[in-house]
Amino acid sequence: MSVRETDTAKLGHVSTARGPEVASRVGIVLGVAILICFCTGLLSHWIQHPPSWFWWPAHPVWLYRVTQGAHVISGVAAIPLLLVKLWAVYPKLFQRPLIGSPLRALERGSIALLVGAILFELVTGLLNIAQYYPWKFFFPTAHYAMAFVAVGALAVHLAVKLPVIRDALSRPLELAESADAGGRRHVSRRAVLTAAWVSAGAASLVVAGQTVPFLRWAAVLAPRSGEGPQGLPVNRSATAAGVVDRARDLAYRLTVVVGDRRRQFTRDELLAMPQTHARLPIACVEGWSASAEWTGVRLRDLLAAVGAYPGGDVLFRSLETSGIYRSSVLPQRHAVDAETLVALSLNGETLDIDHGYPCRLIAPSRPGVLQTKWLSTIEVLP
């Protein structure tokens, strides 16, 4: 056994699998998962809070479903990979000197920041999937900001550790099998890596079904299985939103404003207009998605019934009186799309109140939080 392996065995007390050979290989896959999670998370944030330069297409209609599904799946897969990575390097984290040279201090600092940021992202992200928020900070803002901290620390860590990673990857994964002084066999590095890949795959599988329809049967840990009124999950019910009475009020009117023209529509008047069918997915930021048949009035036709649409983004307001998602802004490219509807029916049935009755917005390739339910006002912005 080499001096390096002997030292690793002494530090680990149990297994020579601990060390850079395993840490580097797991770290590469973990880094890829983190980058996928980071990039898709940025997309989701920009779609909801678009910078002036940002452009997001309406087609293909499943695009957001794929990107946000990849965000959640890669994040969940990163959890067992991070645990294996920490297990592989655990003894070295407490080697002395704890600080030492400036380069070592930079390495230690980047590791502490990296581990802390990634743990924060994965733990809060996992709880967000379950819609459980035991903290007082606003999750989207904190999650978004910490993502940059994590990626920045990852870049510094890679720059510092690149020679070690390159050296570890160049060495054989396994040397001759050995036993310690007590005759106990060491866990092989290959076995640890196999466990890491299987764990990451299993973690992905048990949540992927909330995005990938043919894997629904395996999504045993997915909080949104597809069950719900009319075959679709519900994140926020009409009762939770406090809109039940107003949504069922016989005096309900949908107000549509185009320029200086304003018109109010009853639900029956909306039903009397030409109806369009569209098969579109609901894709939520928590990672679940499901396709459905929607029927309603094309938004562009509804706007034309009020006045000449001058172009521009369109503001949708809900009957909700509070909450950050009681309104949304639909970009012009989505507003003129033939599959953007003011939906009145779902899967051939009258829209359930928990899905937005008396009418709701449904547009292609948009986060579910922006598909405003219980519409009260539609207004073309100047």
Side-chain angles (χ1 to χ4, degrees):
M1 186 184 295
S2 67
V3 173
R4 180 183 287 107
E5 287 187 301
T6 301
D7 290 343
T8 303
K10 288 179 180 178
L11 286 168
H13 299 296
V14 174
S15 172
T16 56
R18 281 188 166 125
E21 293 80 9
V22 167
S24 296
R25 287 166 172 83
V26 173
I28 289 174
V29 181
L30 176 60
V32 171
I34 290 173
L35 287 177
I36 292 173
C37 206
F38 176 72
C39 292
T40 52
L42 279 184
L43 283 175
S44 183
H45 182 85
W46 288 337
I47 293 169
Q48 296 178 64
H49 310 282
S52 58
W53 51 265
F54 183 71
W55 183 88
W56 182 254
H59 289 268
V61 299
W62 42 260
L63 185 57
Y64 183 75
R65 181 181 197 174
V66 170
T67 60
Q68 192 62 13
H71 178 75
V72 171
I73 292 170
S74 60
V76 172
I79 295 173
L81 295 174
L82 177 62
L83 294 176
V84 173
K85 168 82 170 176
L86 291 176
W87 177 86
V89 301
Y90 173 79
K92 287 186 174 293
L93 294 178
F94 300 97
Q95 280 184 330
R96 294 185 180 277
L98 291 178
I99 302 300
S101 67
L103 182 61
R104 183 174 176 80
L106 179 62
E107 176 192 1
R108 289 297 173 119
S110 69
I111 290 174
L113 191 60
L114 175 61
V115 172
I118 292 178
L119 284 174
F120 176 88
E121 291 291 274
L122 296 182
V123 171
T124 57
L126 194 63
L127 293 176
N128 177 64
I129 293 173
Q131 292 187 304
Y132 175 62
Y133 306 102
W135 49 75
K136 294 185 178 180
F137 57 80
F138 184 47
F139 167 76
T141 301
H143 198 69
Y144 175 72
M146 194 59 70
F148 286 95
V149 175
V151 170
L154 177 62
V156 172
H157 180 67
L158 287 175
V160 172
K161 301 294 289 186
L162 189 58
V164 176
I165 295 171
R166 186 181 303 158
D167 181 55
L169 293 177
S170 67
R171 294 196 296 269
L173 186 60
E174 299 288 4
L175 298 177
E177 188 177 15
S178 61
D180 61 19
R184 294 171 296 183
R185 292 293 179 183
H186 297 302
V187 177
S188 71
R189 294 167 182 159
R190 199 172 303 278
V192 172
L193 289 176
T194 299
W197 312 147
V198 171
S199 298
S204 301
L205 187 63
V206 296
V207 298
Q210 64 179 3
T211 296
V212 185
F214 67 84
L215 292 177
R216 193 84 67 188
W217 60 271
V220 294
L221 295 183
R224 301 293 180 273
S225 64
E227 297 178 0
Q230 298 172 310
L232 285 184
V234 172
N235 268 9
R236 184 168 172 81
S237 68
T239 300
V243 299
V244 174
D245 292 339
R246 276 168 289 168
R248 289 180 172 159
D249 191 341
L250 295 179
Y252 168 82
R253 300 290 187 274
L254 172 64
T255 301
V256 182
V257 181
V258 180
D260 59 355
R261 297 178 64 87
R262 175 187 296 261
R263 180 176 170 183
Q264 292 187 325
F265 295 83
T266 66
R267 180 178 160 85
D268 287 340
E269 287 173 332
L270 292 173
L271 286 168
M273 297 181 69
Q275 301 293 294
T276 299
H277 305 278
R279 184 166 184 81
L280 297 173
I282 281 284
C284 281
V285 294
E286 293 87 2
W288 68 264
S289 59
S291 292
E293 293 287 342
W294 305 88
T295 303
V297 182
R298 282 177 176 160
L299 176 62
R300 66 191 191 190
D301 294 342
L302 183 60
L303 297 177
V306 178
Y309 172 51
D313 298 342
V314 181
L315 172 66
F316 292 78
R317 293 191 183 94
S318 172
L319 293 172
E320 288 189 81
T321 57
S322 62
I324 60 173
Y325 297 116
R326 65 184 182 274
S327 66
S328 67
V329 175
L330 188 71
Q332 178 178 340
R333 75 187 71 90
H334 287 80
V336 299
D337 191 272
E339 293 187 287
T340 296
L341 308 178
V342 173
L344 304 167
S345 301
L346 171 58
N347 289 332
E349 302 175 350
T350 298
L351 198 65
D352 187 272
I353 192 168
D354 283 339
H355 285 308
Y357 177 90
C359 61
R360 68 169 296 162
L361 168 66
I362 183 71
S365 192
R366 297 274 285 169
V369 292
L370 301 183
Q371 307 278 32
T372 306
K373 299 193 287 187
W374 313 294
L375 289 175
S376 65
T377 306
I378 300 175
E379 181 180 359
V380 177
L381 296 175

